[in-house]
Amino acid sequence: MVIVGGGFAGIHAAKGLAHLPVDVTVIDRRNHHTFQPLLYQVALAVLSPADIAQPIRTILRNQPNTQVLMDEVMDIDISARTVTLCSGAQIPFDYLALATGATHSYFGKDEWAPLAPGLKTIEDATEIRRRVLLAFELAERQMVEKGWHPPLNFVVIGGGPTGVELAGAISDIAQLYMRSDFRHIDPSKARVLLLEGSPRILAAYPEDLSAKAEAALAGLGVEVHTHTQVSDIGPGWVEAGGKRIEAVVTLWAAGVQASPLGKLLGKAPGVEFDRRGCVLVDEHLNPDGLSNVFVLGDLAHFEQDGRQIPGVAQPAMQMGDHLAKMIAADLKGAPRPAFRYFDKGDMATIGRMQAVAKVEWPFKAHMSGFPAWVTWLTVHIFFLIGFRNRISVFAAWIWTYFTFTRSARLITGDQRLPGWQEQVSAGPGNETSRET
Amino acid sequence: MVIVGGGFAGIHAAKGLAHLPVDVTVIDRRNHHTFQPLLYQVALAVLSPADIAQPIRTILRNQPNTQVLMDEVMDIDISARTVTLCSGAQIPFDYLALATGATHSYFGKDEWAPLAPGLKTIEDATEIRRRVLLAFELAERQMVEKGWHPPLNFVVIGGGPTGVELAGAISDIAQLYMRSDFRHIDPSKARVLLLEGSPRILAAYPEDLSAKAEAALAGLGVEVHTHTQVSDIGPGWVEAGGKRIEAVVTLWAAGVQASPLGKLLGKAPGVEFDRRGCVLVDEHLNPDGLSNVFVLGDLAHFEQDGRQIPGVAQPAMQMGDHLAKMIAADLKGAPRPAFRYFDKGDMATIGRMQAVAKVEWPFKAHMSGFPAWVTWLTVHIFFLIGFRNRISVFAAWIWTYFTFTRSARLITGDQRLPGWQEQVSAGPGNETSRET
């Protein structure tokens, strides 16, 4: 059994297979599993990368039937039943599970990527952290040297859960955590703009929660612009709704597409993809006609009750668990059980103390504000892999929330921001803030 | 008052000046102060960067008379009393303190730098971590694909405290922390070589402690080679003592030189430098003839009782404190007190449970083994800046020491090691380990 991808789906599949008489090989090009729901807290300097990431081989170290390879799959030969690694070496399989997830989609405008990073990996998170923190440092420096600075506009593109969490957290940093640290700029005058093309943010949530989220963001000072399509992005600016907005940092949370690995299945007849490149799978998580190939997690397009189930952690975990059950059935000669997503609900935080939650289990409810945030906190601490991580994350949260000090406020890497020099050379303009 | 450098000396100077009627500007090209004595624990995946680094402006946030600039000093005009920043802007000063520390010295062989990184910054530490962890991953991958791998030789050049700590910690990782994680390689068969040109390691320590350190390292399986000069370094190898040693990772702990900023004082007549580029200072920490310029910490060459005081944390802190006392004296019109280094002792850890310590205060003693390690532990937790860091570091240590799991084992950045491809292409040779 070869599992490609060590995200929620891959790890749950491997763990489920621990006690079955199968040899499991987990292949991932990174050495670590990332707890993606908390990635935005690394990006905004609350947590350290190691708080939410753990080596895949450490997670699976106590399973003698499992080996882990840090490697990249370049090709899949379905009839020969091998995957080809980047060195050219081939690994044979009888069962193959693809769980390589999704990546950012810039809708064909890949030149936007360096200007507006997205948030999928630890490297993405530290890059966003570097840019956000550096913006305040460069503004302070510019004030001392020239007496003015370009406006501190942070533009977040995309009003899904990631965009909402990023916008709320940037506002928190500016309003609460930076206020005593600077002498020449007023971080609380930073503007956070959340741009969403559709009529409302959190479009996958019920309308009342979208409205509550928008109100909560407005309360934090985030300017939410719905019906606002981004037409262009440049160094230091975003063009949206026919207007050019100066932007000291631009973040991308607008689109995802399937990992390109799925396309390698396209050589088999019958395998179908949706417009994001996700592989259409049946109730056994198989693409059409391939009963020994499974597609799990964000890479899979699975429809239930006429709707595609969302690309979040819960379905991925459940698909991983289900794969193990199906293999167990195969080994017993029993028919494979059909997959059914059991939706416990969905939630997104908004800044420091608020969240919205659509609870489906153990009761049905729409929650918002502080109660939703406490629920979010409990669930996320509970699901964090590793006891030490839980303690460390909890300590960091307590510390951060009570002292207004973020302990992971490190700028590493270089000291440049795209567009900063252009904005500085252009000099103080109409939009420029002047502070004492 | 302008202080350049936010290390131990600069931070202590700024803190000492908190309640004096002076305007303090601290300039550092990084946004964070690094607790350098624990940097090797970040390099070897015990601690996270944020555990030992804190934003300088957060450390000094409660001092209204102090501003912090993340910027780089490019020039100093002593007669005009200004420092020039990289943007060309000039900051005036009446007093100037230079505390920019030291950096690696490759003795003119700067081409060795990418092949054998040293350990001075957070970026250095994560790069070393990347290389050490990646070596094991690549070896496992190579075993699966080809059935052999280049020998896992880790070569540490330089037997001072940093070299000893790195060698001991790599041995720990290989012997203890990796053992259940791999299926095809035996991490405990990794070799760690510590190369020292002089007759003994820890040359600044008493001879009995050097001998004990060497014995402790041997007990951990580290091969200590004294009298061994490195003549060349290439991708995947080190040439030392007339022999070429294969090296999957090479680390540099052999030489330091003063930060180049000190040389900017050389335009003033009378200012002298030692062979490392450190600025010779008198008992008021002034270079000859410059009573309003102070040089602190590793950048200063200060002699006491006929010997240069060492470039470690303690003298740097004391110099910073002393600077504040001298400024206070100036403000009162009193004569400046003379600096005298009060040596409390020195220590270096050797792996997981041992250390050597030369204690000078509150009693005089030579300690080694476990008692020295407990002393080291206590002192380092006590001096760590920030309460949350102390809790977090302590939790990480407890977790690591009892579970044999290192929680910060992340590989970020790219997946290449210098020389790996060459070693792999050369194929299994004499020195190559074959394992099942």
Side-chain angles (χ1 to χ4, degrees):
Chain A
M1 171 101 218
V2 169
I3 299 170
V4 188
F8 286 118
I11 293 287
H12 273 250
K15 283 188 160 259
L17 295 165
H19 301 293
L20 294 179
V22 283
D23 290 320
V24 181
T25 302
V26 178
I27 303 173
D28 197 298
R29 58 182 169 169
R30 292 172 203 282
N31 84 321
H32 51 273
H33 167 78
T34 307
F35 192 84
Q36 284 198 2
L38 289 178
L39 209 44
Y40 82 96
Q41 295 215 353
V42 174
L44 279 315
V46 178
L47 300 177
S48 286
D51 290 334
I52 63 155
Q54 250 196 328
I56 295 166
R57 60 174 73 258
T58 303
I59 298 174
L60 302 172
R61 73 199 301 185
N62 295 324
Q63 298 188 196
N65 69 338
T66 305
Q67 65 172 342
V68 177
L69 271 187
M70 180 178 168
D71 214 324
E72 202 165 342
V73 171
M74 306 308 281
D75 203 5
I76 299 169
D77 187 331
I78 289 169
S79 48
R81 298 193 169 188
T82 57
V83 295
T84 306
L85 304 176
C86 61
S87 64
Q90 292 184 329
I91 306 280
F93 65 82
D94 36 23
Y95 291 113
L96 174 68
L98 290 188
T100 47
T103 180
H104 322 296
S105 162
Y106 290 91
F107 308 125
K109 302 272 196 180
D110 288 345
E111 66 275 20
W112 291 355
L115 301 168
L119 182 63
K120 276 283 174 195
T121 66
I122 292 286
E123 284 91 342
D124 292 340
T126 50
E127 173 61 17
I128 291 176
R129 181 178 76 182
R130 188 185 74 81
R131 293 189 186 203
V132 171
L133 298 178
L134 192 55
F136 292 99
E137 295 291 340
L138 293 181
E140 176 88 350
R141 183 200 287 189
Q142 181 71 12
M143 277 303 282
V144 169
E145 294 177 0
K146 301 278 159 62
W148 69 276
H149 66 80
L152 284 172
N153 293 353
F154 296 84
V155 176
V156 179
I157 303 169
T162 304
V164 166
E165 292 184 325
L166 284 172
I170 295 173
S171 165
D172 269 0
I173 281 211
Q175 306 291 331
L176 300 172
Y177 296 95
M178 294 280 194
R179 57 183 174 188
S180 329
D181 283 15
F182 292 87
R183 299 289 178 260
H184 301 277
I185 62 167
D186 180 353
S188 72
K189 288 194 182 150
R191 287 171 66 198
V192 184
L193 293 88
L194 180 63
L195 312 183
E196 167 61 40
S198 78
R200 61 184 173 103
I201 60 169
L202 297 180
Y205 284 64
E207 281 192 33
D208 60 319
L209 292 182
S210 288
K212 281 195 170 133
E214 199 170 324
L217 284 170
L220 295 176
V222 175
E223 303 167 30
V224 180
H225 298 273
T226 50
H227 297 288
T228 303
Q229 290 283 355
V230 170
S231 48
D232 203 2
I233 302 176
W237 51 266
V238 172
E239 208 171 78
K243 256 182 54 185
R244 183 178 279 209
I245 306 162
E246 280 194 71
V248 67
V249 174
T250 307
L251 303 180
W252 185 259
V256 294
Q257 62 192 356
S259 138
L261 212 66
K263 289 286 182 208
L264 297 177
L265 299 177
K267 285 173 282 180
V271 177
E272 284 180 89
F273 302 90
D274 67 13
R275 62 183 173 81
R276 284 181 179 162
C278 300
V279 183
L280 270 59
V281 295
D282 61 22
E283 75 277 16
H284 297 127
L285 307 178
N286 297 131
D288 191 40
L290 300 176
S291 66
N292 67 328
V293 176
F294 305 89
V295 183
L296 316 175
D298 291 5
L299 184 58
H301 178 118
F302 179 81
E303 298 207 355
Q304 178 168 304
D305 308 332
R307 285 177 52 206
Q308 186 187 352
I309 63 172
V312 294
Q314 264 194 82
M317 293 176 183
Q318 292 181 23
M319 285 177 174
D321 295 337
H322 190 78
L323 173 72
K325 283 180 203 151
M326 292 194 293
I327 303 294
D330 275 16
L331 293 172
K332 279 191 270 185
R336 292 179 181 172
F339 177 70
R340 196 166 166 81
Y341 172 49
F342 178 59
D343 184 10
K344 299 194 195 103
D346 231 331
M347 44 189 142
T349 49
I350 301 154
R352 189 166 167 262
M353 290 285 200
Q354 296 179 84
V356 289
K358 178 180 67 117
V359 184
E360 297 283 348
W361 182 88
F363 50 86
K364 279 185 191 289
H366 292 182
M367 293 170 77
S368 61
F370 187 71
W373 180 80
V374 171
T375 310
W376 175 90
L377 199 78
T378 316
V379 169
H380 283 81
I381 280 285
F382 183 78
F383 277 108
L384 250 190
I385 286 175
F387 178 69
R388 133 93 179 130
N389 288 4
R390 272 178 226 176
I391 291 185
S392 169
V393 168
F394 198 62
W397 284 351
I398 298 271
W399 177 251
T400 299
Y401 287 117
F402 286 103
T403 64
F404 296 94
T405 307
R406 306 210 148 179
S407 44
R409 258 175 55 192
L410 300 187
I411 299 174
T412 50
D414 80 13
Q415 294 185 17
R416 281 166 300 180
L417 278 181
W420 180 264
Q421 273 317 315
E422 289 87 334
Q423 290 185 60
V424 164
S425 324
N430 265 347
E431 260 204 292
T432 302
S433 61
R434 287 177 174 279
E435 286 147 332
T436 42
Chain B
M1 172 101 218
V2 169
I3 300 171
V4 188
F8 286 117
I11 292 286
H12 273 249
K15 282 185 164 263
L17 295 165
H19 301 293
L20 295 178
V22 282
D23 290 320
V24 181
T25 302
V26 178
I27 304 173
D28 197 298
R29 58 183 168 168
R30 294 174 200 282
N31 83 321
H32 51 274
H33 167 77
T34 307
F35 191 83
Q36 284 199 4
L38 289 178
L39 210 44
Y40 81 96
Q41 296 217 352
V42 174
L44 279 316
V46 178
L47 299 177
S48 286
D51 290 334
I52 64 155
Q54 249 195 331
I56 295 166
R57 61 174 74 256
T58 303
I59 298 173
L60 301 173
R61 73 199 300 186
N62 295 323
Q63 297 187 200
N65 69 338
T66 305
Q67 64 172 342
V68 177
L69 271 188
M70 180 178 169
D71 215 324
E72 203 164 342
V73 170
M74 306 307 283
D75 203 5
I76 298 169
D77 188 332
I78 290 168
S79 48
R81 300 195 167 188
T82 57
V83 295
T84 306
L85 304 175
C86 61
S87 64
Q90 293 183 328
I91 305 279
F93 65 83
D94 36 21
Y95 292 113
L96 173 68
L98 290 187
T100 48
T103 181
H104 322 298
S105 162
Y106 290 91
F107 308 125
K109 301 272 195 180
D110 288 343
E111 65 275 21
W112 291 354
L115 302 168
L119 182 64
K120 276 282 173 194
T121 65
I122 292 287
E123 283 92 344
D124 292 339
T126 49
E127 174 61 16
I128 291 176
R129 181 178 77 181
R130 187 185 74 80
R131 291 189 187 202
V132 171
L133 299 178
L134 192 56
F136 292 99
E137 294 291 340
L138 293 181
E140 176 88 349
R141 184 200 287 189
Q142 181 70 12
M143 278 302 284
V144 170
E145 293 177 359
K146 301 277 157 61
W148 70 277
H149 67 80
L152 284 173
N153 294 354
F154 296 85
V155 176
V156 179
I157 302 170
T162 303
V164 166
E165 293 184 324
L166 283 172
I170 295 174
S171 165
D172 268 1
I173 282 211
Q175 307 291 332
L176 301 172
Y177 296 95
M178 294 281 194
R179 58 182 175 189
S180 329
D181 282 17
F182 292 88
R183 299 288 178 261
H184 300 278
I185 62 167
D186 180 354
S188 72
K189 287 194 182 150
R191 288 170 66 198
V192 183
L193 292 88
L194 180 62
L195 311 184
E196 167 60 40
S198 79
R200 61 185 174 102
I201 59 169
L202 297 179
Y205 285 64
E207 282 192 29
D208 62 318
L209 291 182
S210 287
K212 283 199 168 130
E214 199 170 325
L217 283 170
L220 294 176
V222 175
E223 303 166 31
V224 179
H225 298 272
T226 51
H227 298 284
T228 303
Q229 290 283 357
V230 169
S231 48
D232 203 2
I233 302 176
W237 52 266
V238 172
E239 208 171 77
K243 255 182 55 184
R244 183 179 278 209
I245 306 161
E246 282 193 71
V248 67
V249 174
T250 307
L251 302 181
W252 185 259
V256 294
Q257 62 190 357
S259 138
L261 211 66
K263 289 286 181 208
L264 296 178
L265 298 177
K267 286 172 280 181
V271 177
E272 284 180 89
F273 302 89
D274 68 12
R275 63 184 172 82
R276 283 182 179 162
C278 299
V279 184
L280 271 59
V281 295
D282 61 21
E283 76 277 17
H284 297 128
L285 307 177
N286 296 131
D288 191 40
L290 299 176
S291 67
N292 66 328
V293 175
F294 306 90
V295 183
L296 316 176
D298 291 5
L299 184 57
H301 178 120
F302 178 79
E303 298 206 355
Q304 179 168 302
D305 308 332
R307 286 176 51 205
Q308 186 187 352
I309 63 172
V312 293
Q314 264 193 82
M317 292 175 181
Q318 291 179 22
M319 285 177 174
D321 295 338
H322 189 79
L323 172 72
K325 282 180 204 151
M326 293 193 293
I327 302 295
D330 274 18
L331 293 172
K332 278 191 273 186
R336 291 178 181 173
F339 178 69
R340 198 168 164 82
Y341 171 48
F342 177 59
D343 183 10
K344 299 192 194 106
D346 232 331
M347 42 188 144
T349 49
I350 301 155
R352 190 166 166 263
M353 290 285 201
Q354 298 178 84
V356 290
K358 179 178 67 113
V359 184
E360 298 283 348
W361 183 87
F363 51 85
K364 279 186 192 286
H366 292 180
M367 294 170 77
S368 61
F370 188 70
W373 180 78
V374 172
T375 310
W376 174 90
L377 199 76
T378 316
V379 170
H380 282 81
I381 280 285
F382 184 77
F383 277 108
L384 251 190
I385 286 176
F387 178 70
R388 132 96 177 129
N389 289 4
R390 273 178 226 176
I391 292 186
S392 170
V393 168
F394 197 63
W397 283 350
I398 299 269
W399 177 249
T400 300
Y401 287 118
F402 287 102
T403 63
F404 296 92
T405 307
R406 305 209 149 180
S407 45
R409 260 174 55 193
L410 299 186
I411 299 174
T412 50
D414 80 15
Q415 294 185 15
R416 280 166 301 179
L417 278 181
W420 180 264
Q421 273 317 314
E422 288 86 336
Q423 291 186 59
V424 164
S425 323
N430 265 347
E431 261 204 290
T432 301
S433 61
R434 287 177 175 279
E435 290 147 328
T436 43

